[in-house]
Amino acid sequence: MSLVLVVLLPLIGALLPALMIRAGRNACVLSAFTFSLLAFALLLSHAPAVFRGEVVRAGWNWLPALGLQANFFLDGLGFFFAGLILGIGLLIIVYARFYLAKDDPMGTFYSYLLLFQGAMVGIVLSDNILLLLVFWELTSLSSFLLIGYWKHLPEGRQGARMALTVTGAGGLAMIAGMLLLGEIAGSYELTAILQQKEVIQASPLYLPALLLILGGCFTKSAQFPFHFWLPHAMAAPTPVSAYLHSATMVKAGLFLLARMWPVLAGTAEWFYLVATTGLLTMLIGAFIALFKDDLKGLLAYSTVSHLGLVTMLFGFGTPLAAVAGVFHILNHATFKAALFMNAGIVDHEAGTRDIRRLGGLLQLMPVSATLALVAAASMAGLPPLNGFLSKEMMLHEAAATAWLGNGWVVAALATLAACFSVAYSLRYIVHVFFGPRRDDYPHPPHDPPVGMWLPPALLVALVVLIGLFPETLAGPLVAVVSGAVTGGAAPDYPLALWHGFTPALGLSAIALAVGGGALAAYPRLRARWQAGAHPEAKAIFDGALAAAVAGSRRLIHGVHNGSQQRALAFLVGAVTAAGFAAFSAAPHGAGTRALLPAVPVAVVAWVLLLGGCALALLLYRKRLLAVVAVGAVGLIVCVAFLYLSAPDLALTQISVEVATVILILLALYFLPKEGPLSSSAQRQPLRHLRDGVLAGAAGLGMALASWAMLTRDGSSLSGYYLENAVSGGGGTNVVNVILVDFRGFDTFGEITVLGIAALAIYALLDGALHGRVGRRLSAWTPDLPVSVDRHPMIMVVATRVMLPLALLVGAYIFLRGHNQPGGGFIAALVVSIALIMQYMASGFGWAAQRVKVDYHALIGAGVLIAALTGIGAMVLDQPFLTSTFGHFHLPLVGEFELASAMAFDTGVFLTVVGAVMLALANLSRMGRRAGHLPVNKAPMDIHPSAVPPQEQN
């Protein structure tokens, strides 16, 4: 369970900062830091087991029949990435406290950050690939919020949209690839899939699955040609850049490459796709980084390059290359997070990130400059720092790898990329911190408070210590992680500064020399870069996106012109055609079930039903009469349910009919009593002929389908429900047990949708109360005279007498629902109707003073109670919404049954009452906005005591 908490704690903690900000910025930071620290501590508690080579498992079965298990597992790879996510996350939380300005909504920032953190931890610890995909998409959404945090900046909004578009598209490819992989392996559990290497690579679906999965990995990790989104994400606050681009989001693709290495690597397809993409990305990113003047832009392209380096190493497909990739992920996380935070410090204290406006900061910001010098030297691969170790391992593997039979291409291009890496790293050092002081800094530069330089200082300390003592500090971790990547024991390899005079050392020396020379010749190189033509990725992306939008708009306008009639024609026509095609494609014969005689009562009801439908169609312009006809149809259906021995359905039908008819009639008050007379019958006779043919064909199809179902014997779940309602759900009312137990998740989804619909209606009508629509509403006048006595005494008295009786009936229906016809939904409608009648009798103003309930909160409470009921079952190691029950005895009361489903039914009750009453409140607000009649404060318009005595006689 503690492993599950490692994932859940950041997600739960995301709720607090937005609330704790009311107590101050420090309280907000403390809440975020505490939840991350708890998750980190729980993760570290599993370290002994992980280093012993054990795999820690936790989770529960969600829908086993569909392969849905919320399972997590922790091996060396998961431990490594979760440690990076949570450990660097703690440093970012502290750093952001001092970086963000007073005007920045800090609570929102930390909520987004913890949401993203929880999603990333979910990715690296998920055992079920479907669950992994959920977290994968959640990282795209939460990173969109983080990148676009500064909503007032156009570049922030554009960067967020670009990142979401690219990574979201890759996520769709990832979903398809993972589903194919699960189909090949016969399981959606990662631990099972990782044992199926031969089966997966021998499958004809291997290549499609590989391409789709790599599409998701390459977009998330900004590999060429999808690299362009990452630099534009630099519009985010620096803490976001440091977190997303050192330890988290861009590492998600690398994590999945490492996780899938045991089953996908080792083929020619893997080598040429992954290694080539990584090599090109490493080279292109390093080259562009050299000419970037924005500090974060330089670091962004350098991140692209280093991500390509790791991708290339995993693409080589050898165990030692995988070890080098793992080691460089660790080293890159340390020096790159430190450098991003350093860039934020320079921007924060000097007022700019433009390298052309900087220089000479070593004397003005000695602490920050020292940290930057060490971290950038590690990024360049200078000894004795950790970046040198993994860069030399990379060059060793590149020198040993042949591409299309050529043994020098990979080594030459990797060395060229390393040359550019040295050059841009030295440029970061020399052009920012060395040289003479300037007198035109936007702000006087100085070192920041300790809260800003301490987090990068801790990372820089790791840079130095790992470089000096690699085998002691990083050796055990790299070994256990590499073993998880390769699916076996890690190969023997020395983590040391000196391996003798090797080809890798020679290539590294060449990179240092050429990189230093490139910095010396930088003015000439920059002039050539500016003189040359090079494509702008953002312009290409914007053009492609605009073309896609234009094409989609043409397609939509060609198919859908805004006419609901036309849209319904397409829908009904397509469904009817598909149904008849399926019916005609298979052989069929007459049904075997004997027909029942048509009793006179059923025939009469059928005739009345047809008549009601026809009447509603004929009277569609007379809106009041049409509503009455529709209500009559509902009543006939209710009688049919009673005739067919379905009292629960009958109660539901009659309650829904009464509530909806009342609300529709109240809404019709604001509409003309007659609809417009359509002249299209004369102008467009073919359209009406089309509609008639479609209606007839669809009706005939439904009739034939019903006839086919009713005249054939078949199996259903009804027998299972009847047999297990009492033993499994503790109730004799099978319908209610189905709703709150067997199909409780469906009901939970329905009340959630109902609540969302009610809130959406509220928001829609709230917008209608303002602007042009609001002015039209204010100028609106009723088209019929309004009664002087809007709230007559007889109705007031009758509803007052009915209210306690109706509430008592509602309580009775609610309490009996588990064993007799009733339940929370029906009881809610009965109570809602009783309350609506109070509002109708005495007006909303009078009633609202006495029923002071926030209906938004009522809906939220209902959904929350229903959710907590399901979560309670999960805490007890049962599937979501599993109910329990027991029999109890109380003096005077006797023996009675209590079921946990009653709590779920309470949630249903509150949600339905809240939704109905919120709709009524909306109509009342519209009436008051019209403003033609005063809002009453008395229970009735004409009080009997105000009537003259002669009129009382």
PDB file of all heavy atoms in Angstrom, residues 76 100 151 225 305 350 392 394 494 515 571:
ATOM      1  N   GLY A  76      14.455  -1.481 -10.120  1.00  0.00           N
ATOM      2  CA  GLY A  76      15.529  -0.501 -10.131  1.00  0.00           C
ATOM      3  C   GLY A  76      15.237   0.688 -11.019  1.00  0.00           C
ATOM      4  O   GLY A  76      15.513   1.838 -10.653  1.00  0.00           O
ATOM      5  N   LEU A 100       9.203  33.008  -7.710  1.00  0.00           N
ATOM      6  CA  LEU A 100       7.934  33.577  -8.138  1.00  0.00           C
ATOM      7  C   LEU A 100       7.711  34.941  -7.508  1.00  0.00           C
ATOM      8  O   LEU A 100       8.029  35.174  -6.332  1.00  0.00           O
ATOM      9  CB  LEU A 100       6.784  32.640  -7.775  1.00  0.00           C
ATOM     10  CG  LEU A 100       6.775  31.280  -8.479  1.00  0.00           C
ATOM     11  CD1 LEU A 100       5.644  30.428  -7.950  1.00  0.00           C
ATOM     12  CD2 LEU A 100       6.656  31.450  -9.990  1.00  0.00           C
ATOM     13  N   LYS A 151      -0.269  33.208 -18.122  1.00  0.00           N
ATOM     14  CA  LYS A 151      -1.278  33.326 -19.182  1.00  0.00           C
ATOM     15  C   LYS A 151      -1.250  34.691 -19.872  1.00  0.00           C
ATOM     16  O   LYS A 151      -1.774  34.833 -20.970  1.00  0.00           O
ATOM     17  CB  LYS A 151      -2.665  33.067 -18.594  1.00  0.00           C
ATOM     18  CG  LYS A 151      -2.845  31.657 -18.032  1.00  0.00           C
ATOM     19  CD  LYS A 151      -4.257  31.426 -17.560  1.00  0.00           C
ATOM     20  CE  LYS A 151      -4.531  32.138 -16.241  1.00  0.00           C
ATOM     21  NZ  LYS A 151      -3.767  31.544 -15.112  1.00  0.00           N
ATOM     22  N   PRO A 225      12.089  14.706 -35.789  1.00  0.00           N
ATOM     23  CA  PRO A 225      11.800  16.109 -36.110  1.00  0.00           C
ATOM     24  C   PRO A 225      10.744  16.752 -35.187  1.00  0.00           C
ATOM     25  O   PRO A 225      10.103  17.725 -35.601  1.00  0.00           O
ATOM     26  CB  PRO A 225      11.254  15.995 -37.530  1.00  0.00           C
ATOM     27  CG  PRO A 225      10.502  14.694 -37.515  1.00  0.00           C
ATOM     28  CD  PRO A 225      11.256  13.779 -36.581  1.00  0.00           C
ATOM     29  N   SER A 305      19.752  17.965 -27.364  1.00  0.00           N
ATOM     30  CA  SER A 305      20.938  17.215 -27.780  1.00  0.00           C
ATOM     31  C   SER A 305      21.241  16.064 -26.823  1.00  0.00           C
ATOM     32  O   SER A 305      21.528  14.935 -27.261  1.00  0.00           O
ATOM     33  CB  SER A 305      22.138  18.167 -27.853  1.00  0.00           C
ATOM     34  OG  SER A 305      23.313  17.469 -28.196  1.00  0.00           O
ATOM     35  N   ALA A 350      19.602  39.918 -12.661  1.00  0.00           N
ATOM     36  CA  ALA A 350      20.144  40.871 -13.641  1.00  0.00           C
ATOM     37  C   ALA A 350      19.067  41.459 -14.534  1.00  0.00           C
ATOM     38  O   ALA A 350      19.303  42.454 -15.219  1.00  0.00           O
ATOM     39  CB  ALA A 350      21.214  40.197 -14.497  1.00  0.00           C
ATOM     40  N   GLU A 392      32.404   9.997 -22.026  1.00  0.00           N
ATOM     41  CA  GLU A 392      33.441   9.085 -22.509  1.00  0.00           C
ATOM     42  C   GLU A 392      32.870   7.696 -22.770  1.00  0.00           C
ATOM     43  O   GLU A 392      33.249   7.024 -23.734  1.00  0.00           O
ATOM     44  CB  GLU A 392      34.587   9.016 -21.500  1.00  0.00           C
ATOM     45  CG  GLU A 392      35.851   8.407 -22.088  1.00  0.00           C
ATOM     46  CD  GLU A 392      37.032   8.537 -21.138  1.00  0.00           C
ATOM     47  OE1 GLU A 392      36.869   8.137 -19.967  1.00  0.00           O
ATOM     48  OE2 GLU A 392      38.084   9.026 -21.563  1.00  0.00           O
ATOM     49  N   MET A 394      29.837   7.176 -23.743  1.00  0.00           N
ATOM     50  CA  MET A 394      29.103   7.328 -24.993  1.00  0.00           C
ATOM     51  C   MET A 394      30.029   7.233 -26.195  1.00  0.00           C
ATOM     52  O   MET A 394      29.739   6.535 -27.185  1.00  0.00           O
ATOM     53  CB  MET A 394      28.357   8.665 -24.988  1.00  0.00           C
ATOM     54  CG  MET A 394      27.576   8.956 -26.267  1.00  0.00           C
ATOM     55  SD  MET A 394      28.533   9.778 -27.578  1.00  0.00           S
ATOM     56  CE  MET A 394      28.856  11.375 -26.844  1.00  0.00           C
ATOM     57  N   PRO A 494      33.667  -0.494 -15.637  1.00  0.00           N
ATOM     58  CA  PRO A 494      34.310   0.322 -14.585  1.00  0.00           C
ATOM     59  C   PRO A 494      33.784   1.770 -14.648  1.00  0.00           C
ATOM     60  O   PRO A 494      33.769   2.398 -15.710  1.00  0.00           O
ATOM     61  CB  PRO A 494      35.784   0.257 -14.956  1.00  0.00           C
ATOM     62  CG  PRO A 494      35.777   0.099 -16.442  1.00  0.00           C
ATOM     63  CD  PRO A 494      34.498  -0.601 -16.842  1.00  0.00           C
ATOM     64  N   GLY A 515      35.937  22.295 -29.724  1.00  0.00           N
ATOM     65  CA  GLY A 515      34.951  23.136 -29.067  1.00  0.00           C
ATOM     66  C   GLY A 515      35.550  24.445 -28.591  1.00  0.00           C
ATOM     67  O   GLY A 515      34.941  25.520 -28.739  1.00  0.00           O
ATOM     68  N   LEU A 571     -27.012  11.511 -38.871  1.00  0.00           N
ATOM     69  CA  LEU A 571     -26.887  10.537 -37.793  1.00  0.00           C
ATOM     70  C   LEU A 571     -27.883   9.395 -37.963  1.00  0.00           C
ATOM     71  O   LEU A 571     -27.513   8.203 -37.956  1.00  0.00           O
ATOM     72  CB  LEU A 571     -27.082  11.227 -36.438  1.00  0.00           C
ATOM     73  CG  LEU A 571     -27.104  10.309 -35.217  1.00  0.00           C
ATOM     74  CD1 LEU A 571     -25.768   9.613 -35.055  1.00  0.00           C
ATOM     75  CD2 LEU A 571     -27.434  11.104 -33.955  1.00  0.00           C
TER      76      LEU A 571
END
